[in-house]
Amino acid sequence: RDLVRSRGLGDVYKRQILFYSSNTHAQDYFEGVIHYSVSYESLHPNIQKQVLERNLGTSFTAYILEDRYATIYNTKGENGWRKIIVRLDEGYTYTELEKSDTIVKTKFGNSDEKLIDVKKNTKPTKEVLGEQCLSVTLTTENTDPNAWYTLHSGTYYYSPKYKLNPKLYEDYVDGFWNEYVERAKAVSIWNKNEFRPYFTSISEATSIEEKEVDKAFFNPNPDKVIKEE
């Protein structure tokens, strides 16, 4: 939500972020590292697929704990990679660009989207990493007259095996992800997002590694200035 940091393309990143959980720790929620691939289809004659790949990235890695997660996108634009930290325990998102000396801190809910529809689908199912997945579809409208997109539709496939803690997502209203978690109660592992009238993206988990992740990884870079939006 810039090709790459306007409020619009921040949504692309947030909706590509997938959360996993597993029956491992006492709390039954996943902790570890997940790798994803991302592909794009342009819906507009003035937007090239190569530009989307460069500015949004063709892959990303997520580092996940129960009450927070961080993603690093392999963006190749002039600002380098992008790291987004979502602190469910604080109610804030931190966005860092590799070549910027400033980190942007944003409170949950700082957007101009309106929820049009949300529904839990029972068909069709999709097999992802050997799991049969159901899906939830979210449709939203951007009411900001200066926004670069007008309508977003996202379908998120999930396996009930990978549980989320719905209570921790109650206030995470960005992209209405709380609505998704309320219905799925599990992590999406294959996502299709359409930002009309410009492009479609598909993000898919390619590997999952259960491991301990140091909480320090989820703290903003102390060598950079934090600016709150």
Side-chain angles (χ1 to χ4, degrees):
R1 279 179 168 188
D2 39 26
L3 283 181
V4 206
R5 165 84 175 116
S6 68
R7 184 169 293 176
L9 281 190
D11 282 345
V12 180
Y13 292 109
K14 291 171 185 174
R15 290 183 172 112
Q16 287 175 349
I17 297 171
L18 313 179
F19 315 90
Y20 284 82
S21 64
S22 153
N23 299 325
T24 53
H25 300 81
Q27 73 273 32
D28 289 339
Y29 301 117
F30 177 87
E31 292 184 359
V33 179
I34 303 131
H35 299 280
Y36 309 90
S37 63
V38 187
S39 60
Y40 303 93
E41 178 186 358
S42 175
L43 304 175
H44 194 281
N46 293 332
I47 295 181
Q48 297 180 340
K49 178 181 177 181
Q50 293 84 348
V51 173
L52 296 170
E53 292 175 342
R54 181 175 68 250
N55 290 322
L56 298 178
T58 56
S59 65
F60 62 92
T61 302
Y63 303 81
I64 301 167
L65 296 181
E66 180 185 355
D67 63 351
R68 67 199 71 188
Y69 65 87
T71 53
I72 299 180
Y73 296 84
N74 74 331
T75 49
K76 303 298 184 181
E78 61 182 13
N79 292 313
W81 52 254
R82 176 180 300 263
K83 179 179 180 180
I84 297 179
I85 301 171
V86 177
R87 292 292 299 265
L88 299 171
D89 59 326
E90 292 184 359
Y92 282 92
T93 297
Y94 299 85
T95 302
E96 176 185 1
L97 303 179
E98 179 183 9
K99 298 179 182 178
S100 173
D101 59 4
T102 300
I103 295 174
V104 178
K105 179 181 180 181
T106 309
K107 187 176 180 62
F108 291 173
N110 187 13
S111 68
D112 297 292
E113 286 188 296
K114 176 182 178 182
L115 182 63
I116 301 299
D117 187 40
V118 56
K119 59 183 178 180
K120 184 175 181 179
N121 309 307
T122 56
K123 295 181 180 180
T125 62
K126 182 182 291 290
E127 183 174 331
V128 184
L129 294 176
E131 301 289 340
Q132 288 298 323
C133 299
L134 303 175
S135 66
V136 171
T137 298
L138 286 169
T139 304
T140 63
E141 177 185 5
N142 198 321
T143 58
D144 181 353
N146 298 315
W148 60 271
Y149 72 96
T150 56
L151 197 67
H152 166 262
S153 178
T155 297
Y156 308 97
Y157 284 85
Y158 64 92
S159 167
K161 175 181 178 180
Y162 304 115
K163 298 177 183 177
L164 289 177
N165 186 340
K167 187 169 182 59
L168 295 182
Y169 288 83
E170 289 177 352
D171 296 327
Y172 189 38
V173 297
D174 294 26
F176 296 97
W177 199 245
N178 59 328
E179 298 284 350
Y180 162 79
V181 176
E182 179 184 341
R183 289 160 177 79
K185 297 179 175 62
V187 175
S188 64
I189 56 178
W190 193 98
N191 295 346
K192 181 176 181 179
N193 287 285
E194 183 174 343
F195 291 86
R196 304 174 194 166
Y198 293 112
F199 69 91
T200 296
S201 71
I202 292 177
S203 55
E204 179 176 4
T206 58
S207 67
I208 308 171
E209 181 183 6
E210 180 189 342
K211 60 185 295 186
E212 292 186 8
V213 182
D214 191 338
K215 279 194 172 184
F217 186 81
F218 305 93
N219 295 330
N221 188 335
D223 297 325
K224 296 189 176 184
V225 177
I226 296 178
K227 178 182 178 181
E228 186 168 351
E229 282 190 341

